[in-house]
Amino acid sequence: EEIPVFLALQAKYQDHEKITISQVKLFKDGSLGGRTALLREPYKDMETFGADLIPYEELLHWFQAAENYQVTLVLHAIGDRALEDIVHAYVEIMGDKAPHNPNRHSMIHAQIHDRHLLHKLHASGLGILTQPMFAVSDWDMAESRLGERLENSYLFKTAWKMGIHEGFSSDSPVESNNPYHTIAAAMSHPLAEESFQFNEALKLHSETNQWFFYRENISGKIALGQDANLNVLDLRNMDALDNPRLVKDLQPILSFNRGKILEDKQVI
């Protein structure tokens, strides 16, 4: 019953220059630090499974309502049980149409999982918005909460290589909203095989992110007719892009915003 209110707000701002009302955000569980992320097995350091904030039957109602109204949902989900419930509920509502749904529902965080669950996620067509800085800042705390399960968590590069729609975000103000900090963190994953190269991390923070907002034909890459939201860097040594400590300190010396890229590579 709250969706019509959302649609009215969306209509109010549809022509606004700076504001876009794009998605309905729901909270399926809480946080790993607070032991309220919803897990399939109890926490290592406390006999609890976390908090289930949207029961399964209610998830079904949300996905059905979202499809009826053609509204996009983004669901906060950190624990593996939270992810699993969302994937199962979505597929139960959508059936075989799930991976081809033009309505791009997604999860934000998606930190705790295993490879089998990631395969289910990929088959569903749901996207994930992940925060590479959490893999760095959470690691010691996450180990105390999860124990050996940590080895099957924060698998952001594995998810991307599987073909899951994935984009990066900062979760500001919890972490810095500086995009170079996010890119540097993606290059510095505690599990070496989960670290990204600079160009890969940049792609997930720019081009791939646009998919979630239906803007991949408008913004996110250097191509004819795309919005020219560009940063120019004073970079004398390309080897700096292999060093996450140097990437973190990158500063743009010039920015273009809301221009267009023309055939002769001019920006207007």
Side-chain angles (χ1 to χ4, degrees):
E1 64 274 13
E2 295 176 359
I3 288 181
V5 178
F6 167 81
L7 292 172
L9 191 66
Q10 193 175 54
K12 177 180 177 180
Y13 286 96
Q14 64 182 356
D15 297 321
H16 199 282
E17 217 176 275
K18 296 183 179 179
I19 298 173
T20 301
I21 309 296
S22 58
Q23 300 158 327
V24 172
K25 184 176 180 181
L26 306 174
F27 287 80
K28 170 64 176 169
D29 66 352
S31 69
L32 186 61
R35 301 182 185 84
T36 50
L38 186 62
L39 304 183
R40 293 184 292 196
E41 299 176 14
Y43 281 78
K44 178 188 175 186
D45 56 355
M46 183 179 289
E47 193 62 29
T48 179
F49 290 88
D52 189 359
L53 304 181
I54 307 178
Y56 188 81
E57 291 299 319
E58 193 174 333
L59 272 180
L60 295 176
H61 290 309
W62 269 109
F63 276 123
Q64 188 61 67
E67 291 306 309
N68 291 345
Y69 285 100
Q70 288 300 289
V71 164
T72 303
L73 302 181
V74 56
L75 298 102
H76 168 111
I78 290 180
D80 48 9
R81 167 72 187 283
L83 269 70
E84 191 169 58
D85 278 3
I86 290 167
V87 170
H88 287 174
Y90 178 61
V91 172
E92 183 172 338
I93 291 299
M94 295 301 301
D96 294 339
K97 297 184 291 184
H100 313 292
N101 187 2
N103 205 3
R104 299 172 183 178
H105 306 302
S106 61
M107 287 179 276
I108 189 163
H109 303 314
Q111 292 167 207
I112 305 166
H113 38 248
D114 55 34
R115 285 166 173 79
H116 181 64
L117 182 50
L118 288 178
H119 281 294
K120 287 184 178 180
L121 176 58
H122 178 235
S124 75
L126 290 166
I128 55 173
L129 285 158
T130 58
Q131 296 71 42
M133 285 193 284
F134 286 170
V136 178
S137 60
D138 283 4
W139 200 254
D140 291 340
M141 176 274 294
E143 186 172 24
S144 70
R145 302 289 189 271
L146 301 173
E148 294 179 356
R149 284 172 288 176
L150 183 57
E151 295 180 4
N152 281 315
S153 302
Y154 301 85
L155 303 180
F156 300 148
K157 187 164 187 177
T158 295
W160 176 63
K161 290 174 72 174
M162 281 183 183
I164 293 170
H165 291 290
E166 182 177 0
F168 286 162
S169 73
S170 66
D171 207 48
S172 172
V174 175
E175 300 279 3
S176 168
N177 65 0
N178 185 324
Y180 301 110
H181 290 192
T182 298
I183 291 169
M187 298 169 65
S188 310
H189 197 287
L191 301 176
E193 64 274 17
E194 293 298 321
S195 291
F196 289 79
Q197 298 297 313
F198 175 86
N199 62 324
E200 295 171 338
L202 179 64
K203 183 182 180 74
L204 267 75
H205 209 329
S206 54
E207 180 181 344
T208 310
N209 261 350
Q210 303 306 307
W211 179 87
F212 295 88
F213 303 101
Y214 307 87
R215 291 177 52 87
E216 67 270 24
N217 295 322
I218 301 171
S219 183
K221 56 181 180 283
I222 299 177
L224 176 63
Q226 289 262 311
D227 286 349
N229 299 322
L230 308 173
N231 283 339
V232 179
L233 303 175
D234 183 10
L235 193 65
R236 312 294 173 90
N237 180 3
M238 292 298 289
D239 291 340
L241 299 184
D242 297 324
N243 186 333
R245 284 177 294 180
L246 297 179
V247 168
K248 186 176 181 180
D249 293 331
L250 287 175
Q251 295 287 338
I253 57 172
L254 185 64
S255 293
F256 298 99
N257 290 301
R258 296 188 176 275
K260 286 287 181 185
I261 298 173
L262 304 181
E263 285 187 44
D264 58 0
K265 303 295 173 66
Q266 285 185 327
V267 177
I268 62 167

